[in-house]
Amino acid sequence: YFNENNEVLNHTATIEFIDVLNDYGNILVNQKKYKEAESLFQKALDLCETLPVDNESSMATKAMVLNNAAILYKETCHYIKAMQHYDEALKLYRKLKDTDEYKYATDVAMGLYNLGNLHSINNMHDKAEKDYQEALQYYRQMAEQAPDAYLNDVSMTLNALANVHHNTNKHDKAEEEYNEALKYYRQLAERNRDAYLPDVAMTLNNLAILHRETNKHDKAEEEYNEALKYY
């Protein structure tokens, strides 16, 4: 891959090598061998710096490695590093979306959702709300074209956004979002009961907690009972 001056000879081969490092790193993360995985991801990111800056393949490859490194840092509770890596990956995916919106809109939406999760974990509610709202906008647009593929993502993001609104005492918004997520999960469960009935139960449970805390005890009791039946 390199000449005697450590200069890259073949960018295509380098990307293939980065893919190998990335895949091996993911295997090590699954085995909870985090130090070894971190070393491989860092080597892959170092190699990304040798690639052409504005090349689509180069940017997509680097974004992929950054995203996987962020997952590692999240799993090991290094939240600042995880945010930095997710944020850098998201910036690359936004650039890529400008060149091919259909191809990269999903990556932008997922990047926003992942950042929202981290911001929520760290009680950065304003940032989490903003991330989830933008992710939801993308998922709604994609679900209009392909509901079977993206309705679950819409529901997932609605549920996450409702959790933020619940935690910040925006109870009306939270209730509305939980109910919309529940409606979609019920639709999905009609097609695939085994896959989506747990999500129906989870959302019913979230609604019940909200209604219990806002003294709507009849609604809470009804939702707990239905969730319990499914569980």
Side-chain angles (χ1 to χ4, degrees), residues 40-184:
L40 290 179
F41 288 139
Q42 189 55 57
K43 287 178 182 177
L45 288 173
D46 289 343
L47 281 173
C48 286
E49 297 306 313
T50 69
L51 299 173
V53 176
D54 293 325
N55 176 272
E56 180 183 347
S57 296
S58 300
M59 287 193 290
T61 298
K62 185 176 182 181
M64 172 189 67
V65 179
L66 284 164
N67 193 69
N68 289 329
I71 293 170
L72 180 154
Y73 289 128
K74 182 183 176 185
E75 286 193 17
T76 55
C77 299
H78 291 86
Y79 294 130
I80 300 300
K81 283 186 175 181
M83 285 182 206
Q84 290 169 342
H85 283 68
Y86 273 139
D87 190 56
E88 192 175 348
L90 179 59
K91 287 175 182 175
L92 289 170
Y93 282 130
R94 286 191 190 277
K95 286 183 180 179
L96 288 163
K97 186 183 74 67
D98 289 340
T99 63
D100 191 335
E101 182 165 1
Y102 180 81
K103 185 175 180 180
Y104 293 105
T106 303
D107 296 305
V108 172
M110 183 53 69
L112 286 161
Y113 180 82
N114 289 335
L115 265 178
N117 286 344
L118 277 175
H119 288 144
S120 182
I121 288 169
N122 288 276
N123 296 317
M124 302 164 73
H125 299 303
D126 289 345
K127 288 187 175 182
E129 182 180 19
K130 184 178 178 182
D131 295 331
Y132 288 140
Q133 285 175 338
E134 189 179 356
L136 182 60
Q137 182 181 356
Y138 281 113
Y139 282 134
R140 286 192 192 280
Q141 291 171 358
M142 291 184 283
E144 287 178 3
Q145 304 298 321
D148 290 344
Y150 294 108
L151 196 59
N152 178 53
D153 295 306
V154 172
S155 307
M156 171 186 72
T157 311
L158 279 165
N159 207 49
L161 183 58
N163 288 338
V164 172
H165 287 149
H166 185 177
N167 291 333
T168 54
N169 297 317
K170 298 175 182 176
H171 295 139
D172 289 345
K173 285 185 176 182
E175 183 177 21
E176 182 180 337
E177 290 149 359
Y178 282 139
N179 275 317
E180 188 179 0
L182 180 60
K183 179 180 73 173
Y184 296 143

Side-chain angles (χ1 to χ4, degrees), residues 160-220:
L161 183 58
N163 288 338
V164 172
H165 287 149
H166 185 177
N167 291 333
T168 54
N169 297 317
K170 298 175 182 176
H171 295 139
D172 289 345
K173 285 185 176 182
E175 183 177 21
E176 182 180 337
E177 290 149 359
Y178 282 139
N179 275 317
E180 188 179 0
L182 180 60
K183 179 180 73 173
Y184 296 143
Y185 278 136
R186 288 191 192 280
Q187 291 174 12
L188 291 164
E190 288 176 2
R191 304 174 205 167
N192 191 335
R193 181 181 176 89
D194 290 343
Y196 293 108
L197 202 60
D199 295 308
V200 173
M202 172 197 67
T203 311
L204 282 164
N205 195 66
N206 288 341
L207 263 173
I209 293 169
L210 176 68
H211 286 146
R212 185 195 70 206
E213 291 178 0
T214 53
N215 297 318
K216 297 177 180 177
H217 300 300
D218 289 345
K219 285 186 175 182

